[in-house]
């Protein structure tokens, strides 16, 4: 740590726990001085093979920027942004897509700032089975109001006629994606089949986090054709569905989703709402592949009755409820986030 970096390194040490698709951790930061830093998206850590994979690069940027705002506010800083929101080109020679500059301004933290920062440190994606309790309506309405204040619509359902078929769609989506060679290769790049591998690499989706024995996951993913076999395929599908036990409610976000500025704002709102749910003791697990798989997305929208007119999109689907604390998702060291 140097004097010229000011508060950046302790802030980034905290904020590097932001969630990202496949735990790929694509955001990179170059500290300019004690007040300013440049923010980049590392294209080599993106997920361009999936439909809507490119827009979700900017959604992830919004999640990061909201995470930075929360962590900085609790530490006594307001974050000013000067963003350059251009479409990401995953074929670009320069693999660091510049998102813009952020500046820290001193500001006394309030009670809500401290509450949000505590929720940020507690937040985890929870893929464990849930315990069949419904989230109280008052908590969901609070999140609904929070999203509405940001121009987004937060909806939920506890109707088994909605929840059960969408859970089934989520399961079927994984099998469907495995038939897409590009998406399959992308998934395989981010799977970590042993705890040693997960710790060493500090990223990706570990077998432990997915609640599957590493050797079984390695075999299943390495022999994707068997997923369609009557006996073995049924066993694998059954194991995956067991992690979905106890899900009483699903929720989704709808709103503007027509360009990079919309994507970034969607990410901000999602993170803000996730932290509010975390502060209320609610677990959450995004069903991202249902959104990015075209067939699954269309089926989900039809069942949920989501509004996708006039540049709007149902851009996030989650299960939510209550579950035991999940395994820790490993993170790369801070040095790998920093750009020289």
């Amino acid at each position: 740590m140097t004097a010229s970096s000011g508060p950046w390194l302790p802030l980034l040490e905290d904020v590097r726990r932001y969630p990202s698709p496949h735990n790929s951790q694509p955001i990179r930061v170059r500290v300019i001085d004690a007040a300013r830093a440049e923010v980049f998206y590392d294209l080599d850590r993106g997920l361009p093979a999936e439909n809507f994979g490119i827009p979700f690069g900017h959604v992830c940027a919004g999640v990061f920027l909201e995470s930075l705002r929360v962590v900085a506010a609790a530490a006594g800083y307001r974050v000013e942004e000067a963003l350059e929101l251009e479409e990401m080109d995953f074929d670009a020679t320069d693999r660091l897509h510049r998102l813009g500059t952020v500046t820290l301004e001193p500001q006394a933290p309030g009670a809500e700032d401290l509450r949000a920062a505590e929720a940020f440190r507690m937040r985890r994606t929870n893929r464990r089975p849930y315990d069949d309790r419904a989230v109280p309506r008052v908590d969901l309405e609070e999140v609904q109001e929070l999203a509405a204040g940001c121009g987004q619509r937060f909806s939920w359902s506890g109707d088994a006629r909605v929840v059960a078929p969408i859970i089934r769609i989520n399961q079927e989506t994984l099998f469907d994606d495995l038939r897409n060679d590009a998406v399959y290769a992308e998934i395989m790049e981010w799977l970590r089949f042993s705890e040693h591998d997960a710790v060493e690499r500090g990223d990706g989706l570990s077998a432990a986090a997915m609640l599957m024995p590493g050797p079984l996951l390695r075999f299943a993913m390495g022999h994707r054709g068997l997923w369609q076999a009557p006996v073995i395929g049924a066993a694998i599908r059954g194991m995956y569905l067991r992690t979905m036990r106890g899900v009483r409610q699903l929720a989704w976000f709808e709103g503007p989703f027509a360009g990079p500025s919309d994507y970034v704002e969607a990410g901000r709102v999602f993170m803000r709402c996730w932290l509010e749910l975390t502060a209320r003791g609610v677990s959450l697990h995004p069903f991202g592949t249902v959104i990015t798989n075209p067939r699954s997305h269309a089926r989900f929208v039809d069942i949920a009755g989501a509004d996708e007119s006039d540049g709007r999109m149902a851009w996030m689907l989650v299960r939510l409820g209550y579950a035991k604390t999940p395994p820790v998702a490993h993170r790369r060291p801070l040095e790998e986030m920093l750009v020289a």
Side-chain angles (χ1 to χ4, degrees):
M1 186 182 301
T2 65
S4 62
S5 65
W8 281 111
L9 298 189
L11 289 178
L12 294 174
E13 178 65 39
D14 208 0
V15 81
R16 69 190 177 92
R17 294 174 176 82
Y18 73 99
S20 57
H22 291 4
N23 190 26
S24 58
Q25 303 163 50
I27 303 301
R28 307 283 303 279
V29 178
R30 176 185 286 128
V31 175
I32 301 172
D33 55 36
R36 297 175 298 151
E38 289 180 289
V39 181
F40 302 87
Y41 185 96
D42 188 337
L43 298 172
D44 289 330
R45 299 180 185 176
L47 305 172
E50 298 177 353
N51 190 50
F52 287 109
I54 295 176
F56 271 86
H58 276 111
V59 173
C60 183
V63 167
F64 172 83
L65 290 168
E66 178 62 17
S67 301
L68 176 61
R69 185 196 68 78
V70 166
V71 169
Y77 297 95
R78 181 179 72 256
V79 179
E80 297 289 341
E81 301 173 358
L83 302 182
E84 302 166 8
L85 300 181
E86 299 179 357
E87 296 283 358
M88 293 185 187
D89 177 7
F90 278 83
D91 294 322
T93 302
D94 185 351
R95 305 307 292 164
L96 292 180
H97 176 90
R98 191 173 188 276
L99 295 166
T101 303
V102 289
T103 304
L104 300 177
E105 298 286 348
Q107 176 178 278
E112 282 302 307
D113 297 325
L114 300 177
R115 176 178 179 269
E118 179 62 22
F120 177 78
R121 296 183 184 102
M122 292 171 55
R123 183 220 60 85
R124 294 184 187 177
T125 301
N126 202 326
R127 295 179 174 84
R128 287 190 180 278
Y130 288 10
D131 67 9
D132 204 40
R133 283 184 292 157
V135 178
R137 186 176 186 88
V138 64
D139 290 342
L140 296 173
E141 288 178 343
E142 189 69 27
V143 175
Q144 187 176 59
E145 184 176 340
L146 179 59
C150 301
Q152 299 285 339
R153 180 180 179 186
F154 175 79
S155 303
W156 70 88
S157 177
D159 186 338
R161 294 169 297 180
V162 173
V163 174
I166 293 178
I167 290 290
R168 180 66 63 175
I169 289 170
N170 180 60
Q171 177 222 42
E172 293 171 353
T173 301
L174 174 59
F175 308 140
D176 190 40
D177 283 348
L178 291 179
R179 290 192 285 266
N180 181 317
D181 289 343
V183 174
Y184 171 72
E186 200 167 76
I187 292 172
M188 290 295 288
E189 181 179 348
W190 293 105
L191 285 177
R192 306 291 175 251
F193 298 108
S194 71
E195 186 63 12
H196 178 268
D197 192 27
V199 172
E200 283 290 306
R201 301 185 68 170
D203 61 12
L205 298 172
S206 70
M210 298 181 72
L211 308 180
M212 293 185 69
L216 177 59
L217 181 63
R218 185 191 299 275
F219 176 83
M221 296 301 294
H223 299 80
R224 53 177 166 159
L226 292 177
W227 290 58
Q228 304 305 315
V231 177
I232 296 178
I236 295 172
R237 289 192 293 272
M239 180 172 292
Y240 181 76
L241 275 180
R242 281 198 293 275
T243 68
M244 298 292 158
R245 291 196 307 267
V247 178
R248 285 277 302 279
Q249 293 163 308
L250 298 175
W252 54 93
F253 292 82
E254 305 165 28
F257 208 77
S261 61
D262 289 341
Y263 310 150
V264 168
E265 291 309 307
R268 291 188 207 272
V269 175
F270 180 51
M271 192 60 182
R272 199 169 297 168
C273 292
W274 195 344
L275 296 185
E276 182 61 35
L277 288 165
T278 298
R280 293 167 181 265
V282 179
S283 294
L284 185 150
H285 175 198
F287 286 170
T289 55
V290 173
I291 299 299
T292 58
N293 180 295
R295 285 185 291 272
S296 297
H297 187 109
R299 292 169 64 196
F300 151 62
V301 167
D302 181 59
I303 294 169
D307 176 14
E308 295 201 317
S309 62
D310 300 324
R312 296 173 62 85
M313 177 174 161
W315 51 265
M316 183 61 69
L317 168 68
V318 303
R319 62 166 167 154
L320 70 176
Y322 302 93
K324 294 180 180 178
T325 302
V328 173
H330 299 288
R331 293 291 190 271
R332 292 191 185 97
L334 175 59
E335 308 87 75
E336 294 191 25
M337 175 187 260
L338 298 175
V339 177

